Amino acid sequence: MRPKVMSKFLDGTLQKVLPGLLCPAVDAVLNLVNAKFTTLTSEIPLGTAGNLQYALLNPPVTNETFVELDLKTILHQKEGKEVDLPTDQPSLGSLPPKRDAATQLILSANFLTAELSVLQASFNLNISNNMVLGLPPLVTTMLGALIPEISRMLPPSQPVVIEVQEAKAPVVTITREKSFVQLFSTAEFWVSPSDSAPESLFVLDVHSNLEAQFAVAEEKLRLSLALQNGCGATGILHHFSVFQELPLKGVLADIIHEAYVPSIN
């Protein structure tokens, strides 16, 4: 309904003036966004165990107050092998509400389980007597007192080393109240005489349930683990007949609490 003169004036003005005003603004915004995405999709080293990379799974969703990104996580072991991750995504309705003036990164328990599986080789540890100060000495005499079935076959007062290795990937469980990390390990007991080679005594399967506390520091997610309720242990036949491992469970739980968990943390 505009007069032809006004229409001609507005069309000419818009075509000549607006591109010069808007294009630099749009360029500035796109450059800023591109810089953010370059950082977002760069490889993040997980120590020497592997690396992590994010990729956009879907186009960004822009809201009035925030931008929502649906990310795919790509985990590689140090050999370059990609770690399989569950493809199921939590529904948006199940996620915590967005807080004002805060950037939120929501990670699933499945993702944290996969990340710890990449790091699980670094959980292996040899525990010796000087690492369990304040506990009964880690020597054959202590083992013989706890397990009478093997006391006659052990050399007296010889140092013992416990070789703890992860048998399978840790499992992360997250609830509204608490979060837990389950570790599935083997604890092999070695006697180390000063005049001969170490000799394996027996192996225990160990299942540890650890409470996990999360914190963010220096742009890194930190996990602090604490032994929750002791540990399960099952004896494996080696040089001795099957024995009752129950007396050893309490000492082993103390050793895991004093030496193993601090090493993981």
mmCIF file of all heavy atoms in Angstrom, residues 176-210:
data_model
loop_
_atom_site.group_PDB
_atom_site.id
_atom_site.type_symbol
_atom_site.label_atom_id
_atom_site.label_comp_id
_atom_site.label_asym_id
_atom_site.label_seq_id
_atom_site.Cartn_x
_atom_site.Cartn_y
_atom_site.Cartn_z
ATOM 1 N N ARG A 176 20.100 -39.832 42.069
ATOM 2 C CA ARG A 176 19.899 -38.462 42.554
ATOM 3 C C ARG A 176 20.600 -38.233 43.889
ATOM 4 O O ARG A 176 20.986 -37.118 44.214
ATOM 5 C CB ARG A 176 18.401 -38.161 42.684
ATOM 6 C CG ARG A 176 17.685 -38.074 41.352
ATOM 7 C CD ARG A 176 16.240 -37.626 41.538
ATOM 8 N NE ARG A 176 15.556 -37.515 40.253
ATOM 9 C CZ ARG A 176 15.587 -36.441 39.478
ATOM 10 N NH1 ARG A 176 16.270 -35.387 39.872
ATOM 11 N NH2 ARG A 176 14.929 -36.416 38.329
ATOM 12 N N GLU A 177 20.737 -39.297 44.682
ATOM 13 C CA GLU A 177 21.336 -39.144 46.015
ATOM 14 C C GLU A 177 22.854 -39.312 45.976
ATOM 15 O O GLU A 177 23.598 -38.492 46.493
ATOM 16 C CB GLU A 177 20.739 -40.177 46.988
ATOM 17 C CG GLU A 177 19.280 -39.935 47.326
ATOM 18 C CD GLU A 177 18.336 -40.370 46.204
ATOM 19 O OE1 GLU A 177 18.737 -41.254 45.407
ATOM 20 O OE2 GLU A 177 17.219 -39.832 46.113
ATOM 21 N N LYS A 178 23.336 -40.401 45.350
ATOM 22 C CA LYS A 178 24.765 -40.705 45.376
ATOM 23 C C LYS A 178 25.196 -41.305 44.047
ATOM 24 O O LYS A 178 24.379 -41.752 43.247
ATOM 25 C CB LYS A 178 25.089 -41.693 46.507
ATOM 26 C CG LYS A 178 24.936 -41.113 47.911
ATOM 27 C CD LYS A 178 25.368 -42.140 48.964
ATOM 28 C CE LYS A 178 25.255 -41.551 50.365
ATOM 29 N NZ LYS A 178 25.683 -42.538 51.398
ATOM 30 N N SER A 179 26.518 -41.302 43.842
ATOM 31 C CA SER A 179 27.105 -41.934 42.669
ATOM 32 C C SER A 179 28.160 -42.936 43.134
ATOM 33 O O SER A 179 28.825 -42.725 44.153
ATOM 34 C CB SER A 179 27.744 -40.889 41.751
ATOM 35 O OG SER A 179 26.778 -39.956 41.318
ATOM 36 N N PHE A 180 28.289 -44.009 42.368
ATOM 37 C CA PHE A 180 29.210 -45.078 42.761
ATOM 38 C C PHE A 180 30.037 -45.523 41.559
ATOM 39 O O PHE A 180 29.613 -45.413 40.407
ATOM 40 C CB PHE A 180 28.438 -46.287 43.310
ATOM 41 C CG PHE A 180 27.608 -45.984 44.527
ATOM 42 C CD1 PHE A 180 26.262 -45.676 44.394
ATOM 43 C CD2 PHE A 180 28.177 -45.989 45.783
ATOM 44 C CE1 PHE A 180 25.495 -45.391 45.514
ATOM 45 C CE2 PHE A 180 27.408 -45.698 46.905
ATOM 46 C CZ PHE A 180 26.073 -45.403 46.769
ATOM 47 N N VAL A 181 31.234 -46.033 41.866
ATOM 48 C CA VAL A 181 32.082 -46.687 40.874
ATOM 49 C C VAL A 181 32.392 -48.082 41.399
ATOM 50 O O VAL A 181 32.901 -48.238 42.520
ATOM 51 C CB VAL A 181 33.389 -45.910 40.637
ATOM 52 C CG1 VAL A 181 34.296 -46.681 39.682
ATOM 53 C CG2 VAL A 181 33.100 -44.522 40.069
ATOM 54 N N GLN A 182 32.057 -49.097 40.618
ATOM 55 C CA GLN A 182 32.385 -50.472 40.987
ATOM 56 C C GLN A 182 33.654 -50.893 40.256
ATOM 57 O O GLN A 182 33.773 -50.691 39.043
ATOM 58 C CB GLN A 182 31.240 -51.413 40.609
ATOM 59 C CG GLN A 182 29.947 -51.151 41.353
ATOM 60 C CD GLN A 182 28.868 -52.131 40.953
ATOM 61 O OE1 GLN A 182 28.923 -53.317 41.292
ATOM 62 N NE2 GLN A 182 27.874 -51.643 40.228
ATOM 63 N N LEU A 183 34.602 -51.448 41.004
ATOM 64 C CA LEU A 183 35.849 -51.938 40.436
ATOM 65 C C LEU A 183 35.899 -53.456 40.577
ATOM 66 O O LEU A 183 35.547 -54.007 41.631
ATOM 67 C CB LEU A 183 37.056 -51.315 41.141
ATOM 68 C CG LEU A 183 37.214 -49.798 41.034
ATOM 69 C CD1 LEU A 183 38.460 -49.347 41.779
ATOM 70 C CD2 LEU A 183 37.293 -49.350 39.581
ATOM 71 N N PHE A 184 36.342 -54.119 39.515
ATOM 72 C CA PHE A 184 36.456 -55.572 39.495
ATOM 73 C C PHE A 184 37.927 -55.911 39.271
ATOM 74 O O PHE A 184 38.449 -55.744 38.162
ATOM 75 C CB PHE A 184 35.578 -56.162 38.391
ATOM 76 C CG PHE A 184 34.139 -55.703 38.465
ATOM 77 C CD1 PHE A 184 33.717 -54.567 37.789
ATOM 78 C CD2 PHE A 184 33.226 -56.401 39.240
ATOM 79 C CE1 PHE A 184 32.400 -54.139 37.867
ATOM 80 C CE2 PHE A 184 31.897 -55.976 39.319
ATOM 81 C CZ PHE A 184 31.488 -54.844 38.633
ATOM 82 N N SER A 185 38.575 -56.368 40.333
ATOM 83 C CA SER A 185 40.031 -56.520 40.309
ATOM 84 C C SER A 185 40.425 -57.943 40.676
ATOM 85 O O SER A 185 39.614 -58.742 41.164
ATOM 86 C CB SER A 185 40.694 -55.547 41.300
ATOM 87 O OG SER A 185 40.094 -54.281 41.272
ATOM 88 N N THR A 186 41.703 -58.246 40.443
ATOM 89 C CA THR A 186 42.331 -59.426 41.022
ATOM 90 C C THR A 186 43.445 -58.950 41.933
ATOM 91 O O THR A 186 44.149 -57.979 41.614
ATOM 92 C CB THR A 186 42.903 -60.366 39.948
ATOM 93 O OG1 THR A 186 43.881 -59.667 39.167
ATOM 94 C CG2 THR A 186 41.808 -60.889 39.036
ATOM 95 N N ALA A 187 43.591 -59.605 43.073
ATOM 96 C CA ALA A 187 44.676 -59.298 44.011
ATOM 97 C C ALA A 187 45.519 -60.560 44.151
ATOM 98 O O ALA A 187 45.092 -61.540 44.780
ATOM 99 C CB ALA A 187 44.121 -58.859 45.352
ATOM 100 N N GLU A 188 46.694 -60.540 43.528
ATOM 101 C CA GLU A 188 47.592 -61.697 43.596
ATOM 102 C C GLU A 188 48.634 -61.445 44.682
ATOM 103 O O GLU A 188 49.315 -60.416 44.680
ATOM 104 C CB GLU A 188 48.263 -61.942 42.254
ATOM 105 C CG GLU A 188 49.100 -63.210 42.222
ATOM 106 C CD GLU A 188 49.491 -63.643 40.821
ATOM 107 O OE1 GLU A 188 49.230 -62.873 39.876
ATOM 108 O OE2 GLU A 188 50.062 -64.745 40.667
ATOM 109 N N PHE A 189 48.746 -62.384 45.619
ATOM 110 C CA PHE A 189 49.676 -62.263 46.741
ATOM 111 C C PHE A 189 50.983 -62.979 46.389
ATOM 112 O O PHE A 189 50.981 -64.166 46.051
ATOM 113 C CB PHE A 189 49.069 -62.867 48.003
ATOM 114 C CG PHE A 189 47.992 -62.022 48.630
ATOM 115 C CD1 PHE A 189 46.775 -61.825 47.988
ATOM 116 C CD2 PHE A 189 48.200 -61.414 49.859
ATOM 117 C CE1 PHE A 189 45.781 -61.047 48.575
ATOM 118 C CE2 PHE A 189 47.214 -60.630 50.446
ATOM 119 C CZ PHE A 189 46.011 -60.446 49.803
ATOM 120 N N TRP A 190 52.081 -62.231 46.490
ATOM 121 C CA TRP A 190 53.416 -62.760 46.189
ATOM 122 C C TRP A 190 54.265 -62.702 47.449
ATOM 123 O O TRP A 190 54.233 -61.710 48.182
ATOM 124 C CB TRP A 190 54.098 -61.936 45.101
ATOM 125 C CG TRP A 190 53.443 -61.975 43.754
ATOM 126 C CD1 TRP A 190 52.316 -61.320 43.347
ATOM 127 C CD2 TRP A 190 53.885 -62.719 42.621
ATOM 128 N NE1 TRP A 190 52.029 -61.596 42.038
ATOM 129 C CE2 TRP A 190 52.974 -62.452 41.557
ATOM 130 C CE3 TRP A 190 54.963 -63.570 42.380
ATOM 131 C CZ2 TRP A 190 53.115 -63.005 40.290
ATOM 132 C CZ3 TRP A 190 55.103 -64.129 41.120
ATOM 133 C CH2 TRP A 190 54.181 -63.861 40.088
ATOM 134 N N VAL A 191 55.035 -63.749 47.692
ATOM 135 C CA VAL A 191 56.045 -63.705 48.747
ATOM 136 C C VAL A 191 57.371 -63.387 48.070
ATOM 137 O O VAL A 191 57.690 -63.912 47.000
ATOM 138 C CB VAL A 191 56.117 -65.030 49.531
ATOM 139 C CG1 VAL A 191 56.463 -66.210 48.629
ATOM 140 C CG2 VAL A 191 57.119 -64.923 50.671
ATOM 141 N N SER A 192 58.131 -62.470 48.684
ATOM 142 C CA SER A 192 59.371 -61.975 48.063
ATOM 143 C C SER A 192 60.559 -62.234 48.974
ATOM 144 O O SER A 192 61.039 -61.324 49.671
ATOM 145 C CB SER A 192 59.256 -60.474 47.763
ATOM 146 O OG SER A 192 58.190 -60.218 46.897
ATOM 147 N N PRO A 193 61.066 -63.479 49.014
ATOM 148 C CA PRO A 193 62.259 -63.749 49.822
ATOM 149 C C PRO A 193 63.458 -62.964 49.287
ATOM 150 O O PRO A 193 63.573 -62.701 48.090
ATOM 151 C CB PRO A 193 62.473 -65.257 49.648
ATOM 152 C CG PRO A 193 61.169 -65.787 49.132
ATOM 153 C CD PRO A 193 60.565 -64.669 48.331
ATOM 154 N N SER A 194 64.341 -62.575 50.185
ATOM 155 C CA SER A 194 65.501 -61.773 49.774
ATOM 156 C C SER A 194 66.496 -62.575 48.959
ATOM 157 O O SER A 194 67.286 -62.016 48.197
ATOM 158 C CB SER A 194 66.200 -61.197 51.010
ATOM 159 O OG SER A 194 66.570 -62.249 51.897
ATOM 160 N N ASP A 195 66.474 -63.919 49.110
ATOM 161 C CA ASP A 195 67.494 -64.734 48.438
ATOM 162 C C ASP A 195 66.964 -65.525 47.252
ATOM 163 O O ASP A 195 67.657 -66.381 46.723
ATOM 164 C CB ASP A 195 68.119 -65.702 49.447
ATOM 165 C CG ASP A 195 67.060 -66.585 50.115
ATOM 166 O OD1 ASP A 195 65.860 -66.287 49.953
ATOM 167 O OD2 ASP A 195 67.440 -67.561 50.784
ATOM 168 N N SER A 196 65.731 -65.263 46.834
ATOM 169 C CA SER A 196 65.180 -66.010 45.694
ATOM 170 C C SER A 196 64.132 -65.170 44.985
ATOM 171 O O SER A 196 63.744 -64.103 45.453
ATOM 172 C CB SER A 196 64.581 -67.346 46.157
ATOM 173 O OG SER A 196 63.542 -67.121 47.088
ATOM 174 N N ALA A 197 63.665 -65.680 43.847
ATOM 175 C CA ALA A 197 62.686 -64.950 43.039
ATOM 176 C C ALA A 197 61.318 -64.944 43.726
ATOM 177 O O ALA A 197 60.999 -65.866 44.495
ATOM 178 C CB ALA A 197 62.568 -65.596 41.668
ATOM 179 N N PRO A 198 60.500 -63.909 43.475
ATOM 180 C CA PRO A 198 59.153 -63.872 44.065
ATOM 181 C C PRO A 198 58.334 -65.095 43.651
ATOM 182 O O PRO A 198 58.467 -65.607 42.539
ATOM 183 C CB PRO A 198 58.565 -62.576 43.490
ATOM 184 C CG PRO A 198 59.746 -61.743 43.127
ATOM 185 C CD PRO A 198 60.808 -62.708 42.685
ATOM 186 N N GLU A 199 57.489 -65.547 44.557
ATOM 187 C CA GLU A 199 56.650 -66.715 44.305
ATOM 188 C C GLU A 199 55.197 -66.360 44.589
ATOM 189 O O GLU A 199 54.870 -65.789 45.623
ATOM 190 C CB GLU A 199 57.078 -67.880 45.198
ATOM 191 C CG GLU A 199 56.247 -69.135 45.001
ATOM 192 C CD GLU A 199 56.640 -70.248 45.960
ATOM 193 O OE1 GLU A 199 57.546 -70.032 46.793
ATOM 194 O OE2 GLU A 199 56.010 -71.319 45.895
ATOM 195 N N SER A 200 54.321 -66.700 43.632
ATOM 196 C CA SER A 200 52.903 -66.416 43.792
ATOM 197 C C SER A 200 52.281 -67.389 44.786
ATOM 198 O O SER A 200 52.502 -68.607 44.715
ATOM 199 C CB SER A 200 52.197 -66.525 42.443
ATOM 200 O OG SER A 200 50.806 -66.340 42.595
ATOM 201 N N LEU A 201 51.497 -66.835 45.733
ATOM 202 C CA LEU A 201 50.840 -67.659 46.737
ATOM 203 C C LEU A 201 49.418 -68.008 46.332
ATOM 204 O O LEU A 201 49.035 -69.171 46.264
ATOM 205 C CB LEU A 201 50.824 -66.920 48.084
ATOM 206 C CG LEU A 201 52.188 -66.587 48.695
ATOM 207 C CD1 LEU A 201 52.013 -65.746 49.947
ATOM 208 C CD2 LEU A 201 52.947 -67.870 49.016
ATOM 209 N N PHE A 202 48.610 -66.990 46.086
ATOM 210 C CA PHE A 202 47.209 -67.217 45.711
ATOM 211 C C PHE A 202 46.665 -65.927 45.100
ATOM 212 O O PHE A 202 47.287 -64.863 45.174
ATOM 213 C CB PHE A 202 46.355 -67.666 46.898
ATOM 214 C CG PHE A 202 46.432 -66.752 48.085
ATOM 215 C CD1 PHE A 202 45.620 -65.629 48.195
ATOM 216 C CD2 PHE A 202 47.337 -67.015 49.112
ATOM 217 C CE1 PHE A 202 45.697 -64.787 49.279
ATOM 218 C CE2 PHE A 202 47.413 -66.173 50.223
ATOM 219 C CZ PHE A 202 46.595 -65.058 50.302
ATOM 220 N N VAL A 203 45.485 -66.032 44.481
ATOM 221 C CA VAL A 203 44.836 -64.903 43.831
ATOM 222 C C VAL A 203 43.425 -64.763 44.403
ATOM 223 O O VAL A 203 42.739 -65.759 44.634
ATOM 224 C CB VAL A 203 44.755 -65.093 42.297
ATOM 225 C CG1 VAL A 203 44.131 -63.864 41.640
ATOM 226 C CG2 VAL A 203 46.132 -65.367 41.717
ATOM 227 N N LEU A 204 43.008 -63.514 44.640
ATOM 228 C CA LEU A 204 41.640 -63.239 45.050
ATOM 229 C C LEU A 204 40.954 -62.393 43.993
ATOM 230 O O LEU A 204 41.561 -61.449 43.464
ATOM 231 C CB LEU A 204 41.615 -62.489 46.386
ATOM 232 C CG LEU A 204 42.120 -63.217 47.628
ATOM 233 C CD1 LEU A 204 42.063 -62.280 48.824
ATOM 234 C CD2 LEU A 204 41.313 -64.471 47.908
ATOM 235 N N ASP A 205 39.714 -62.737 43.684
ATOM 236 C CA ASP A 205 38.854 -61.841 42.905
ATOM 237 C C ASP A 205 38.280 -60.812 43.868
ATOM 238 O O ASP A 205 37.691 -61.189 44.889
ATOM 239 C CB ASP A 205 37.724 -62.608 42.221
ATOM 240 C CG ASP A 205 38.204 -63.309 40.960
ATOM 241 O OD1 ASP A 205 39.156 -62.835 40.336
ATOM 242 O OD2 ASP A 205 37.608 -64.344 40.621
ATOM 243 N N VAL A 206 38.412 -59.533 43.551
ATOM 244 C CA VAL A 206 37.991 -58.476 44.462
ATOM 245 C C VAL A 206 36.969 -57.582 43.765
ATOM 246 O O VAL A 206 37.201 -57.095 42.656
ATOM 247 C CB VAL A 206 39.194 -57.615 44.922
ATOM 248 C CG1 VAL A 206 38.726 -56.540 45.888
ATOM 249 C CG2 VAL A 206 40.246 -58.493 45.576
ATOM 250 N N HIS A 207 35.835 -57.364 44.438
ATOM 251 C CA HIS A 207 34.788 -56.464 43.934
ATOM 252 C C HIS A 207 34.664 -55.322 44.931
ATOM 253 O O HIS A 207 34.244 -55.540 46.073
ATOM 254 C CB HIS A 207 33.472 -57.210 43.781
ATOM 255 C CG HIS A 207 32.339 -56.343 43.333
ATOM 256 N ND1 HIS A 207 31.014 -56.714 43.452
ATOM 257 C CD2 HIS A 207 32.311 -55.103 42.777
ATOM 258 C CE1 HIS A 207 30.233 -55.759 42.996
ATOM 259 N NE2 HIS A 207 31.002 -54.763 42.583
ATOM 260 N N SER A 208 35.036 -54.101 44.520
ATOM 261 C CA SER A 208 35.007 -52.937 45.405
ATOM 262 C C SER A 208 33.909 -51.982 44.972
ATOM 263 O O SER A 208 33.765 -51.699 43.776
ATOM 264 C CB SER A 208 36.355 -52.204 45.379
ATOM 265 O OG SER A 208 37.417 -53.080 45.673
ATOM 266 N N ASN A 209 33.158 -51.477 45.943
ATOM 267 C CA ASN A 209 32.105 -50.502 45.681
ATOM 268 C C ASN A 209 32.552 -49.168 46.268
ATOM 269 O O ASN A 209 32.690 -49.025 47.488
ATOM 270 C CB ASN A 209 30.785 -50.953 46.307
ATOM 271 C CG ASN A 209 29.602 -50.221 45.719
ATOM 272 O OD1 ASN A 209 29.621 -49.835 44.556
ATOM 273 N ND2 ASN A 209 28.566 -50.023 46.511
ATOM 274 N N LEU A 210 32.796 -48.175 45.414
ATOM 275 C CA LEU A 210 33.363 -46.907 45.838
ATOM 276 C C LEU A 210 32.366 -45.779 45.606
ATOM 277 O O LEU A 210 31.766 -45.684 44.527
ATOM 278 C CB LEU A 210 34.652 -46.603 45.057
ATOM 279 C CG LEU A 210 35.723 -47.689 45.108
ATOM 280 C CD1 LEU A 210 36.757 -47.455 44.014
ATOM 281 C CD2 LEU A 210 36.397 -47.722 46.451
#
